[in-house]
Amino acid sequence: MSRFFATGSDSESEESSSADEITPKAPGTINKQSLLLSDDEEDTKRVVRSAKDKRFEELTNIIKTIRNAMKIRDMSKCLEEFEQLCRAFLKSKTIMDKEGVPPFYIRLLADLEDYLNQLWEDKEGKKKMNKNNAKALSTLRQKIRKYNKDFETEIVSYKENPEQSAEEEEKDDVGSASSSESSDDDDDEGITAKSLLKKKPQEEEKKAPEASKFLKGAADEESESEDDEESEDWGSDSVHSGSESEDNEGAAASLAVVFLKKALDGDKQSDRKKDDRRKKHKPKERLEEEAGEDRDPDDEGWEKVKGGVPLVKEKPKMFAKGTEINSAVVIKKLHEILQARGKKGTDRAAQIELLHALAGISNENNLGEGILVKIKFNIIASLYDYNPNLAAFMKPEMWKKCLECIDELLDILFNNNNIFIGENIAEDSENLAISDQPLRVRGCILTLVERMDEEFTKIMQNTDPHSQEYVDNLKDEGRVCGVIDRLLQYLETKGSTEEVCRVYLRRIMHTYYKFDYKAHRRSLGLQGETKSEQDQEESEGEDSAIIMDRLCKFIYSKDRTDRIRTCAILCHIYHHALHSRWFQARDLMLMSHLQDNIQHADPPVQILYNRTMVQLGICAFRQGMIKDAHNALLDIQSSGRAKELLGQGLLMRNMQERNAEQEKIEKRRQVPFHMHINLELLECVYLVSAMLLEIPYMAAHEFDARRRMISKQFHHQLRVGERQPLLGPPESMREHVVAASKAMKMGDWRTCHSFIINEKMNSKVWDLFPETQCVREMLVRKIQEESLRTYLFTYSSVYDSISMETLSEMFELDLPTVHSIISKMIINEELMASLDQPTQTVVMHRTEPTSLQNMALQLAEKLGGLVENNERVFDLKQGVYGGYFNRDQKGGYQQNKSYQRAPDQRGGYQQKQGYQRDQKGGYQQKQNYQRGGYRNQNQSSY
């Protein structure tokens, strides 16, 4: 070391000997002479480090980057740095074999694995990740699990005793620091301040933070470590000041004392660090007890606050002290609050509180109802803006506030007839305070109520339908309907026709799907069991049918928008069908011609149309109109997407057909659960209707090759039933219908009846109808009639004649019913028979072919088609017609206004204004020639 800058000593030898005597040096001590080095010497000074320190520094730097990436959940960065860490560890394998795996490396592996497992279990967090991070998380989790198998014992020992591992790591750090210092001492006589200042951050980097930094106490530990660093800095500053003063005095003995004191201070600080580290691993309760014991008795006025110093939020002052509260000041303050609306960083909850406070100030100072109405409008709008996302629904407390504010607003409007509100009132023309003139406020109460209704729908859509919470939320529908009724009364006197139609539609939408049980009881002549129930029924208002009729007819006559009128018609039809008014519902549907252009309507209206058609089909089934029921339900059921078409759920599809944004939009169109139509009941009604139509038709056209299917879905269920290797008793609703169909095909109506109507089917389907007994009786009657028709189709070839009385007894039908069924079959030429009135018998005519004859006829038809196709191909090859002719839809050929070929009655062809080949092989030209048949024995041309 250069000694030319030393001052304040008698000789160089004395100073060097005094310096040599001071052997104990703490890692934090600083030689005073190093502070006096020139800039040139500082720049040329090098720090010599061992290979172990270099490798460990590289590992700690990578570990620090990984931990920073863990804090911000950057999985891609974590994966990249982990791969780099593995490569760096392989480079330092020779050092690891000598020294062993460092504790900070084991700690990182354990912390990283725990951290990844926590992220993997957090389903909501994984959904919010982008694609790259999610993929990196999966890859990194697999790699870390595979990599940690090589360090399984070290990780287990670390997890069992993390405190001991931390102490070992600290010892290793101190040892490495001292070894590096000793190596520096060997190379040089003294230690420069520059080298120590460089080593200090390196040592701290080696100390990796605990995994608990990512948990609750991370902030506290960081603050503690910062406090320790600050205390060390203060200590070093004191050393600098002491060394400078002694340097000026030139006392070497006092310099030695300073260095010894610093070494002792360093030991105390290291001990204190160990105590702090142990305290971190103690349970929370233990720490609280120790804190209570260490508290001084003088500090009785103080109390411990968890989570740091509480921030007391002072309510912002509305107006400066002494400000006169008048209308202009309040309106100005209102505009100030509204200017922050929608801006980034605006606290929406605080904005709502400010508006409530402003409304309270307006009430206290009696500033008039106009200003209060204006503030209420803005409060309700702020409540709607609280959730910026359209898909999100209102929180319960916000929903209750919204209902209360709308009720208060309606109270003010009802009590003050001089207040006029409307969207067409400009901001400049508002009159909020002048009482002599009518108060004019810009705003639309109808829009607020419509938004409230939509929010109620969203709340019901996003609540679990099988929970008590759904029932509690559904109770609010009474309040919603009450608000709509009050608004309806207000707009009937002050609103325009368009606004009245809109609010009428809202009222209809809350009524059309509800079955009016009290009106149903009155129609059946039933009364309440107790006197209180009878009085309640008498005091109640008009039936829902009367309300619907009045509201819908007003819309039919006054509305000028197609959408509102379409929705009203569909709701009216639905309500008629729900209450078994089949003919009114059917006539209204046919007169409206909605089925012609419904495909151009928006999706919510199409869903309403599908619901109406389904309800119409169920109503027709209850009334015994089996064919009408089948036709109404055919489109919905044959698609296989009944659940989606009725707005009752989404089917699983791949991302190509529907992306995430479309899925969110479709979820918002879903119908709340309490408005759902039972899909199992719907399918059962459709299958039973198809069975009653299809089984007699199959029996009548058993050998007809061109037989068409009435219901593809029903045939599919029959094929599924036939493919069953083992036929057991039916369990599901579909299996019951298939088993009943097989019984009906054999004419066994009793077995068919037992499969369709039993306890299981009653509980699943038939008991869900309002008039359960009537539906069951209708079903029994239909099964008997269709079984009779099936029996006659199937076994008519066996009988010469059969008595109608026998048929009546077999199917338990009265004689006139049997007579009418057989008469209809004879008139429609379905049954070749005649009625003998005196003997009451059905005489069969032997005109129906046997099964062998039917098969021969089918073969003849197929052969005839084959011959015709062959001749057509032959003609094309010979070029008789060339490319001149085009085949028409009837199987013939035609040329533009010149030639026309069509089969005649004898199987030949006619050619108008053309040429005809005769039987001798020549050609003749006539005005209208005719080609003979193909089966000519004298010619062998074809």
Side-chain angles (χ1 to χ4, degrees), residues 360-411:
I361 292 171
S362 174
N363 266 334
E364 289 172 6
N365 293 276
N366 297 322
L367 296 180
E369 303 296 340
I371 294 176
L372 192 58
V373 168
K374 180 75 174 175
I375 295 173
K376 289 289 181 186
F377 267 117
N378 287 292
I379 289 174
I380 298 168
S382 299
L383 287 169
Y384 291 146
D385 289 345
Y386 187 77
N387 287 326
N389 188 3
L390 279 175
F393 60 98
M394 291 180 78
K395 295 179 180 177
E397 57 270 15
M398 293 292 174
W399 169 247
K400 289 177 182 176
K401 281 183 185 177
C402 180
L403 285 177
E404 290 169 2
C405 286
I406 291 177
D407 275 328
E408 291 171 5
L409 182 58
L410 285 171
D411 289 337

Side-chain angles (χ1 to χ4, degrees), residues 93 158 161 219 311 332 453 529 551 636 659 863 867 940:
K93 187 158 178 55
Y158 164 72
N161 196 354
L311 297 174
K332 183 181 177 183
D453 195 22
E529 296 179 359
L551 299 180
I636 301 293
N659 56 30
L863 288 174
V867 168
S940 60

Side-chain angles (χ1 to χ4, degrees), residues 691-692 695 740-747 752 783 786-787 790:
M691 177 190 76
L692 295 174
I695 297 298
S741 303
K742 291 179 180 177
M744 181 182 280
K745 198 182 289 186
M746 304 301 295
C752 177
I783 288 171
E786 298 304 325
S787 297
T790 307

Side-chain angles (χ1 to χ4, degrees), residues 141-396:
R141 182 168 172 266
Q142 292 175 358
K143 285 191 174 185
I144 193 72
R145 289 171 68 182
K146 186 177 179 181
Y147 190 76
N148 282 5
K149 288 180 181 178
D150 299 335
F151 306 96
E152 194 168 356
T153 55
E154 291 90 343
I155 292 173
V156 170
S157 63
Y158 164 72
K159 287 185 177 178
E160 287 177 355
N161 196 354
E163 182 179 349
Q164 185 178 355
S165 302
E167 290 176 4
E168 290 176 0
E169 182 182 345
E170 189 175 352
K171 286 178 184 176
D172 292 343
D173 293 343
V174 173
S176 63
S178 61
S179 64
S180 63
E181 285 176 9
S182 63
S183 64
D184 291 342
D185 288 339
D186 295 339
D187 294 339
D188 206 349
E189 294 177 2
I191 303 171
T192 63
K194 186 83 173 178
S195 63
L196 278 176
L197 290 172
K198 285 182 182 177
K199 283 179 185 178
K200 185 177 178 181
Q202 293 170 6
E203 293 172 12
E204 290 175 356
E205 285 175 6
K206 292 176 186 176
K207 298 179 182 179
E210 298 289 336
S212 59
K213 274 194 178 186
F214 303 104
L215 303 176
K216 190 175 180 182
D220 299 337
E221 293 182 15
E222 288 175 359
S223 62
E224 287 174 8
S225 63
E226 288 171 4
D227 295 341
D228 294 342
E229 290 172 4
E230 288 175 5
S231 63
E232 289 178 7
D233 294 339
W234 281 106
S236 63
D237 291 343
S238 66
V239 174
H240 298 327
S241 62
S243 62
E244 287 170 4
S245 62
E246 288 162 6
D247 190 22
N248 295 330
E249 294 171 4
S254 61
L255 182 66
V257 174
V258 170
F259 275 99
L260 286 172
K261 185 179 179 183
K262 180 60 185 172
L264 294 172
D265 291 342
D267 294 338
K268 287 180 182 178
Q269 286 178 1
S270 62
D271 293 339
R272 191 172 69 230
K273 280 186 182 179
K274 290 181 182 178
D275 293 338
D276 291 342
R277 195 181 290 276
R278 289 193 190 98
K279 281 184 180 180
K280 288 174 189 175
H281 294 285
K282 287 183 180 180
K284 192 174 179 182
E285 295 82 2
R286 184 77 178 273
L287 287 174
E288 290 177 358
E289 290 176 6
E290 290 182 1
E293 291 172 1
D294 296 341
R295 191 182 300 160
D296 295 336
D298 299 334
D299 299 339
E300 291 180 357
W302 300 89
E303 60 180 20
K304 186 175 179 182
V305 179
K306 295 181 181 178
V309 181
L311 297 174
V312 180
K313 289 186 179 180
E314 294 184 1
K315 292 185 178 179
K317 294 179 181 179
M318 283 293 205
F319 305 104
K321 192 174 181 181
T323 305
E324 183 183 355
I325 307 298
N326 55 29
S327 301
V329 173
V330 171
I331 292 170
K332 183 181 177 183
K333 190 67 180 179
L334 176 63
H335 287 305
E336 286 178 10
I337 296 171
L338 294 181
Q339 281 175 359
R341 179 181 172 190
K343 289 185 179 179
K344 189 176 181 181
T346 304
D347 188 354
R348 298 184 185 89
Q351 199 175 28
I352 294 169
E353 289 178 8
L354 286 174
L355 289 170
H356 276 293
L358 195 61
I361 292 171
S362 174
N363 266 334
E364 289 172 6
N365 293 276
N366 297 322
L367 296 180
E369 303 296 340
I371 294 176
L372 192 58
V373 168
K374 180 75 174 175
I375 295 173
K376 289 289 181 186
F377 267 117
N378 287 292
I379 289 174
I380 298 168
S382 299
L383 287 169
Y384 291 146
D385 289 345
Y386 187 77
N387 287 326
N389 188 3
L390 279 175
F393 60 98
M394 291 180 78
K395 295 179 180 177

Side-chain angles (χ1 to χ4, degrees), residues 30 68 95 120 129 145 149 166 177 200 239 241 305 342 348 352 402 457 531 616 646 660 667 735 755 777 780 920:
I30 301 172
N68 287 337
I95 297 172
W120 190 261
M129 282 185 182
R145 289 171 68 182
K149 288 180 181 178
K200 185 177 178 181
V239 174
S241 62
V305 179
R348 298 184 185 89
I352 294 169
C402 180
T457 304
K531 190 174 181 181
L616 201 60
L646 296 175
K667 280 183 179 178
E735 291 176 357
F755 282 129
E777 291 172 359
V780 173
K920 296 180 180 180

Side-chain angles (χ1 to χ4, degrees), residues 34 62 109 180 216 237 296 299 347 361 365 381 461 479 668 762 851 878 887 941:
S34 64
I62 298 173
L109 295 180
S180 63
K216 190 175 180 182
D237 291 343
D296 295 336
D299 299 339
D347 188 354
I361 292 171
N365 293 276
Q461 286 172 344
R479 294 185 66 184
R668 290 203 293 270
N762 286 344
S851 59
Q878 294 296 319
R887 185 178 179 186
S941 299

